[in-house]
Amino acid sequence: MDGHLNLDGHPGGDRNEDLGREPAPDPATGRRGGTEPGPDGRDASRPGADPGPARAGQDGEGAVAPGATGAGPVRGDDGTPIQHQRLHVPDARRVRPPSRPDRPGSDGEHRLQERMGTTDRADKFYDEQVLDRLNPRMREFAARQEMFFLATSDRHGECDNTFRAGPPGFVQVLDDRTLAYPEYRGNGVLASLGNIQENPHVGILMIDFLRDRIGLHVNGRARVLADEEMRRERPDLPVDPVPGRRARLWVEVTVEEAYVHCAKHIPHLQKVPARGDRAWGTDDSRRKGGDFFGAAAEAAGRAPDERPHREAGEPPSRASIPAHAARPAGRAW
C-alpha cells in the first residue's frame, strides 16, 4: 500500500484524481489545480503557509463573490448563483493577495471582512491565534478529549458534518503537526471517509464542555489507513481492550491550521452517571436510538416524487443514490 487507502477502488494513481475532469486553470495564477502536495504535505504550488480548508466565520459569515453588493443572490463571474456552482474542490484553493501572502483564510472571508469593516479585527485574530502547528497546550487539550466534530466535503463541495467519540486519548497526538483517530464500526455508509477519498481537506472542532469550556479548531489534510498499515508506521500505537472500539481504519491528519474557539457561547455541562455500558460497535437498533425521527416508519409509504432527487447533469449526492446502490457491497461495517 502507498499510504492512501483507496476504499472505493478508484483507478487513478492519486487518490484525489478525478479522471473524468480536466481542471480549469486558476484565473490568478494560470496553473491548473490538483497539484501534488510537497514533501511536508503542503500544496507546493502556493507560496507561504497553507492554512487548509476555507472557514466560515464564527459569526456565520459566508463567501461573497467579487463585486457583490446589496441584497439578492451572490453570483459568480459567469453570472450563476454561487450556491448553484459546482466546484472541483482541489482546484478551488485560495490565492493569497500580493499584499499579505501569509494571511490565513479564504478569499471569500477576506472580501466579506472588507465589506463588514472587520479586517483589522480579523488580522489581529490571524496574527495572534492562528498557528500552523499544535503548541504544547493544544496537544495536551487534544489528547484528553472524548469527542469532536468532523467536517468534510466531496470534490463537488457537498458537505458533511459528523461526530466522533471515544475514551480520553482516542485522539492520538503523534507530534505537533500530526493527529490520528480511529474509525470504529458504524452504519456502513462511510460518508466522511468517502469524502476524504475525493477531497483530503478536513475541519475538526474539539469542545471541552466540562472543564475549560473552550474549543480548538484543527484544519488540515487527511489520509485514510488500514489498522495494520497504521501500526506498521506507528508500532507504539495502543490497542484498545474493548472489542467494539477496535479500529477498522485510521484517519491521519496533517495540521495546517490550529486556533481557539472562544468560550463566549459554549455551555458548561456536567456529566451524569452512565446508564449501563456504552454499546460500542453494536447493531442493536434500540441501543442505537431506534427510529427516533420516524424516517424508517415513513419510508414504505413515501411516494417516488417525495424522495430526494437531483437535476439532470447534477453530480449525485448520497441522498440521491438508491439505497441498494449506495450500500457498500461486501462490507459489514
Side-chain angles (χ1 to χ4, degrees), residues 147-153 159-165 181-183 191-193 195-196 200-206 218-220 222 251 253:
M147 61 182 179
F148 65 83
F149 302 93
L150 174 68
T152 61
S153 71
C159 298
D160 188 82
N161 193 283
T162 191
F163 174 77
R164 291 290 181 266
Y181 66 87
E183 283 284 344
S192 299
L193 297 179
N195 283 348
I196 291 171
H201 306 295
V202 300
I204 291 174
L205 173 59
M206 306 177 195
V218 178
N219 296 332
V251 176
V253 179

Side-chain angles (χ1 to χ4, degrees), residues 2 4 11 16-17 43 61 82 110 114 148 154 156 181 197 204 214 221 223 227 243 295 303 309 317:
D2 63 357
H4 302 308
N16 301 310
E17 180 182 0
D43 188 338
E61 294 140 349
I82 203 164
H110 296 163
E114 293 174 5
F148 65 83
D154 65 16
H156 304 294
Y181 66 87
Q197 295 297 100
I204 291 174
I214 201 77
R221 287 176 173 254
R223 62 172 183 156
D227 182 61
H309 64 281
S317 65

Side-chain angles (χ1 to χ4, degrees), residues 81-101:
I82 203 164
Q83 63 267 31
H84 295 154
Q85 292 180 8
R86 293 289 173 178
L87 302 177
H88 186 230
V89 172
D91 304 336
R93 304 288 289 158
R94 53 201 168 277
V95 178
R96 299 291 181 272
S99 59
R100 281 289 305 273

Side-chain angles (χ1 to χ4, degrees), residues 272-291:
V272 298
R275 295 179 294 180
D277 294 333
R278 289 191 182 183
W280 297 101
T282 185
D283 280 331
D284 183 287
S285 177
R286 181 184 59 83
R287 301 198 74 182
K288 290 166 66 175
D291 188 23

Side-chain angles (χ1 to χ4, degrees), residues 166-250:
F170 87 108
V171 176
Q172 298 288 315
V173 183
L174 303 177
D175 54 54
D176 65 349
R177 294 181 185 270
T178 316
L179 294 176
Y181 66 87
E183 283 284 344
Y184 305 136
R185 189 177 188 278
N187 61 12
V189 175
L190 306 175
S192 299
L193 297 179
N195 283 348
I196 291 171
Q197 295 297 100
E198 298 185 11
N199 172 13
H201 306 295
V202 300
I204 291 174
L205 173 59
M206 306 177 195
I207 297 184
D208 184 344
F209 295 97
L210 305 176
R211 192 177 93 180
D212 297 321
R213 204 171 56 84
I214 201 77
L216 173 64
H217 290 264
V218 178
N219 296 332
R221 287 176 173 254
R223 62 172 183 156
V224 182
L225 300 97
D227 182 61
E228 58 270 20
E229 183 179 8
M230 186 70 175
R231 294 185 185 281
R232 282 198 301 270
E233 294 187 9
R234 308 277 181 174
D236 56 343
L237 207 63
V239 177
D240 198 304
V242 178
R245 292 200 307 249
R246 300 285 169 81
R248 302 300 183 97
L249 303 166
W250 288 85

